[in-house]
Amino acid sequence: MKCDRCGGEYGEKLVTYTIMFEGKFHIIEGVPAKECSKCGDRLYAPPIVEKIQTAIWSHKKPSRVVETPVIEFASI
């Protein structure tokens, strides 16, 4: 499958998906996706997106918690 953005090829890959929800940054590891080998654009199948949404919305207990520094762009 060709990428609409750059013409690169998509390949199956396990990726890390990140999302901000209710003021918290969530990281989901090992997510199946198609990723462009050239520009990195990602495509997710609808059932994968639904599974991620269900986990986030239901406040699934995390496997682990990491501390994330935050820097406001205006302060640099």
Side-chain angles (χ1 to χ4, degrees):
M1 175 183 210
K2 291 261 188 211
C3 177
D4 290 338
R5 292 182 180 191
C6 72
E9 288 290 328
Y10 282 99
E12 297 289 332
K13 197 170 181 186
L14 293 178
V15 301
T16 300
Y17 183 96
T18 58
I19 187 170
M20 180 71 78
F21 179 71
E22 293 183 347
K24 293 182 182 175
F25 190 60
H26 298 266
I27 303 168
I28 300 101
E29 297 177 319
V31 178
K34 289 185 170 132
E35 184 176 80
C36 177
S37 60
K38 197 170 176 183
C39 74
D41 184 49
R42 291 181 180 166
L43 302 174
Y44 301 94
I48 300 299
V49 174
E50 289 174 12
K51 195 168 185 176
I52 290 169
Q53 289 174 337
T54 299
I56 297 298
W57 293 341
S58 67
H59 301 279
K60 180 170 175 27
K61 185 177 190 262
S63 306
R64 61 191 167 91
V65 176
V66 295
E67 186 177 328
T68 306
V70 177
I71 300 170
E72 294 268 350
F73 181 76
S75 72
I76 55 176

